[in-house]
Amino acid sequence: MAYIYECKIEVHSVIDNLDQSGLPEGEPEVSDVCSDGFIKAEEGALTLSYVEIGEGTRVSCDLLIEGEAVTIKRRGDVVFDVTLSEGKTVSTVYSVPPYSFDATVRCRRIRQAMTNRGGSLSLLYSMNIGGQEKSVRMTILAVPRAEA
């Protein structure tokens, strides 16, 4: 049986463009999102669902935490699906309609302390989108609505 809990979700992400030697170049892209959302708890899995709205864009986000893996699904002004597992590299497509780019994602670290009562999820991964290397650090906090 699935249980759904209302929550407040805070997402902080930092994306660095990397030069050929792997060092950050230019200013990082910093994003902070605070949104109402849901935690869906099913046997062996949690899904965080929320909507990012900003600068004329709208993206629905689902993060599925299942075992040691995290699947990110983004729909709307950005379309991106990827399953992250520490040490694994996957190929996918990153789309900003009408444009699509081949993407390679390498998960370096996942730290999660998430339950149906909220918690935190930290992701550290590298990705190459259309030939540009990037380093991504993302922290997600979920606080049940009754406590927010």
Side-chain angles (χ1 to χ4, degrees):
M1 176 182 248
Y3 295 93
I4 298 175
Y5 303 91
E6 289 184 48
C7 62
K8 180 177 86 172
I9 296 179
E10 297 176 14
V11 180
H12 175 75
S13 69
V14 178
I15 301 173
D16 285 301
N17 286 322
L18 304 177
D19 64 17
Q20 290 184 359
S21 61
L23 298 173
E25 66 179 351
E27 292 296 314
E29 179 184 331
V30 178
S31 172
D32 288 299
V33 173
C34 185
S35 179
D36 291 328
F38 299 93
I39 299 174
K40 180 179 177 185
E42 296 180 279
E43 217 171 291
L46 292 172
T47 302
L48 301 176
S49 298
Y50 63 97
V51 175
E52 290 182 5
I53 298 173
E55 298 182 25
T57 63
R58 180 181 173 88
V59 180
S60 296
C61 304
D62 291 317
L63 295 124
L64 171 65
I65 303 167
E66 196 168 28
E68 300 295 315
V70 175
T71 299
I72 301 170
K73 292 184 179 189
R74 297 171 54 93
R75 294 286 182 276
D77 291 317
V78 172
V79 178
F80 181 60
D81 290 339
V82 67
T83 298
L84 303 173
S85 293
E86 279 191 27
K88 303 272 173 131
T89 300
V90 295
S91 295
T92 187
V93 175
Y94 186 94
S95 298
V96 181
Y99 306 103
S100 294
F101 306 92
D102 290 333
T104 303
V105 181
R106 291 174 301 286
C107 181
R108 296 182 359 217
R109 186 172 61 223
I110 297 173
R111 296 291 179 263
Q112 73 100 357
M114 191 68 66
T115 70
N116 61 343
R117 301 303 302 150
S120 65
L121 172 66
S122 295
L123 304 171
L124 178 60
Y125 58 95
S126 300
M127 61 184 183
N128 184 304
I129 297 178
Q132 174 64 59
E133 278 293 324
K134 298 174 179 287
S135 175
V136 180
R137 296 180 309 273
M138 185 180 298
T139 303
I140 299 103
L141 300 174
V143 178
R145 234 332 132 198
E147 298 173 18

